[in-house]
Amino acid sequence: MEKTRSWEEEYGFPFLYDGVRLLDMLEEYSLVRQEKEEEKRRARAEVEVERLDALKASKTRELVIKKKEELDEICRQAHMDADPSIENEKIMAIIDSGMFDPSELLASMDLQISKAKEDALSRTDIMEKVEKWMSACEEESWLEDYSRDQNRYNATRGAHLNLKQAERARVTVNKLPALVDSLMAKTRSWEEEYGFPFLYDGVRLLDMLEEYSLVRQEKEEEKRRARAEVEVERLDALKASKTRELVIKKKEELDEICRQAHMDADPSTENEKIMAIIDSGMFDPSELLASMDLQISKAKEDALSRTDIMEKVEKWMSAYEEESWLEDYSRDQNRYNATRGGRPFFWQL
């Protein structure tokens, strides 16, 4: 361009190249070249900006994920629900959109972490009791299974260890009602202080405790009914056993009266029938025993009314035996022989 200008100054007219002034061509080329260089710089700048934005987003993503994990761990240990606005998907969507201020986002995360720590700290006393309650519930469940095991007292390997564990579990389970009452009182106090429900894994703790108390009461009531039924069965069995003994004793007394008086007993008082009535359980012991006493009394009266006749019957039976013996003796052809025993026979005549 300098040479062309010098040439034009020297000769006094434009330097043309194929009819076009060379200086115009060179100036146009320089302008186009500058524009291209500027465009390249802008492109490099845009690439660098994009790289830095991507790096910023990546670093922000890493920091946010780290803080989110810290927040989740705090909430997990305290059994709290995290703020729905800071769910991973929502945070990642904000970061990917690029429409965010990293400092504000990280500051928001720090604020959430700080608040979660404060909430977790306020729940410490209650959570300690909840852990004790949960542990005691596990002991209670194990003890129920152990109590249902029909072979728990068998001399098997480890039986003595289970027995010791059952003793410890009973001690723990006996403390459960007081523990639950204390936990409910603390939870109500906490809710009154903070003005919102105490949630445990998204469920109101008071509702959990009330439901547990209701279920436990139902179980205790069922156990009481079962024990009452067992006791009733035991008493019924004992009553039947004692009644059986008394009835057998009275039946023996009745049979002895009838035997001595040579009377037939009432068929309704046969052993099989009486035992069947007792075993069926469909009887009133007092009525049964009263019936037996009545039978005995009647048998005694009948025996007494037969006394005179029975005395004569005994004499008659004795005489009949003598008569029978005499007939046998009379038929004996050797009755007068001097054999051993003959003399006493003769004397009996």
Side-chain angles (χ1 to χ4, degrees):
M1 288 179 70
E2 292 297 328
K3 283 185 175 290
T4 304
R5 285 192 184 95
S6 297
W7 188 91
E8 287 184 351
E9 289 175 358
E10 181 179 353
Y11 291 96
F13 55 87
F15 186 97
L16 300 179
Y17 182 87
D18 289 338
V20 181
R21 189 184 180 193
L22 181 59
L23 276 178
D24 293 341
M25 293 173 63
L26 292 172
E27 288 175 356
E28 183 179 358
Y29 167 77
S30 296
L31 182 61
V32 171
R33 194 171 187 276
Q34 287 176 1
E35 289 177 354
K36 287 182 178 180
E37 290 296 328
E38 185 65 27
E39 185 177 349
K40 288 180 180 179
R41 282 193 295 272
R42 283 198 301 270
R44 285 195 296 269
E46 289 175 359
V47 170
E48 183 63 15
V49 168
E50 289 177 359
R51 187 186 69 80
L52 292 174
D53 287 343
L55 180 62
K56 178 184 71 175
S58 175
K59 293 296 183 182
T60 303
R61 186 192 299 270
E62 291 177 5
L63 288 172
V64 167
I65 290 174
K66 186 176 180 180
K67 290 183 180 295
K68 182 65 169 62
E69 289 175 351
E70 181 182 358
L71 178 61
D72 289 342
E73 182 62 18
I74 294 170
C75 293
R76 186 191 65 79
Q77 290 181 356
H79 294 272
M80 301 185 301
D81 289 337
D83 188 345
S85 65
I86 56 173
E87 292 179 355
N88 283 341
E89 294 78 7
K90 293 183 179 180
I91 295 175
M92 294 303 106
I94 293 172
I95 294 174
D96 293 338
S97 69
M99 304 298 292
F100 72 99
D101 183 345
S103 59
E104 290 183 2
L105 181 59
L106 294 174
S108 174
M109 293 295 297
D110 288 335
L111 184 62
Q112 291 287 345
I113 290 172
S114 177
K115 184 176 183 303
K117 287 181 178 179
E118 290 178 3
D119 292 344
L121 185 62
S122 71
R123 296 160 60 96
T124 302
D125 291 343
I126 294 177
M127 289 306 300
E128 288 177 355
K129 289 189 176 295
V130 168
E131 289 178 3
K132 291 181 180 179
W133 171 53
M134 293 287 190
S135 177
C137 287
E138 291 178 1
E139 291 286 327
E140 184 181 34
S141 178
W142 179 89
L143 186 60
E144 288 176 355
D145 293 338
Y146 176 77
S147 299
R148 286 193 292 268
D149 184 5
Q150 301 297 326
N151 301 318
R152 60 185 180 276
Y153 297 124
N154 291 354
T156 56
R157 185 177 181 181
H160 66 290
L161 297 177
N162 288 336
L163 186 59
K164 289 183 179 179
Q165 184 178 350
E167 292 174 357
R168 291 193 297 269
R170 287 190 184 94
V171 173
T172 302
V173 170
N174 289 336
K175 296 178 181 178
L176 258 174
L179 177 61
V180 171
D181 291 342
S182 174
L183 184 54
M184 291 179 74
K186 278 188 172 292
T187 305
R188 288 194 181 95
S189 177
W190 188 95
E191 290 186 350
E192 290 174 0
E193 180 179 353
Y194 291 94
F196 54 87
F198 187 103
L199 300 181
Y200 184 92
D201 289 339
V203 181
R204 190 184 182 197
L205 181 59
L206 274 180
D207 293 341
M208 294 171 62
L209 293 170
E210 288 172 357
E211 182 179 0
Y212 167 78
S213 297
L214 182 61
V215 171
R216 194 169 193 274
Q217 287 175 2
E218 291 175 353
K219 286 183 178 179
E220 290 296 326
E221 186 63 29
E222 185 177 348
K223 288 179 181 178
R224 282 193 291 271
R225 285 197 299 268
R227 286 195 294 268
E229 290 175 0
V230 170
E231 183 64 14
V232 168
E233 290 177 359
R234 187 188 69 82
L235 292 176
D236 287 344
L238 180 62
K239 178 182 71 175
S241 175
K242 294 296 183 182
T243 303
R244 186 191 300 269
E245 292 176 4
L246 288 172
V247 167
I248 289 174
K249 186 175 180 181
K250 290 182 180 293
K251 182 64 171 62
E252 290 174 351
E253 181 182 356
L254 177 61
D255 290 343
E256 181 62 20
I257 293 170
C258 292
R259 187 189 64 77
Q260 290 180 359
H262 295 274
M263 300 184 301
D264 290 335
D266 187 345
S268 64
T269 61
E270 292 180 359
N271 282 342
E272 294 77 8
K273 293 183 178 180
I274 294 176
M275 293 304 106
I277 293 172
I278 294 174
D279 292 337
S280 69
M282 305 298 292
F283 72 99
D284 183 345
S286 59
E287 290 183 2
L288 182 59
L289 294 174
S291 174
M292 293 297 297
D293 288 335
L294 184 62
Q295 292 285 345
I296 291 171
S297 177
K298 186 175 182 302
K300 286 180 178 179
E301 290 178 3
D302 292 345
L304 185 62
S305 69
R306 294 157 59 97
T307 303
D308 292 342
I309 296 176
M310 288 306 300
E311 288 177 355
K312 292 185 180 297
V313 167
E314 287 178 2
K315 290 179 180 180
W316 168 60
M317 295 295 286
S318 177
Y320 178 77
E321 289 177 0
E322 292 289 332
E323 182 182 30
S324 177
W325 178 87
L326 185 59
E327 289 176 355
D328 293 338
Y329 178 76
S330 298
R331 285 193 294 269
D332 185 6
Q333 300 298 324
N334 301 316
R335 61 184 178 276
Y336 298 121
N337 292 348
T339 58
R340 185 178 180 181
R343 185 177 180 182
F345 291 156
F346 180 77
W347 285 357
Q348 288 185 30
L349 296 175

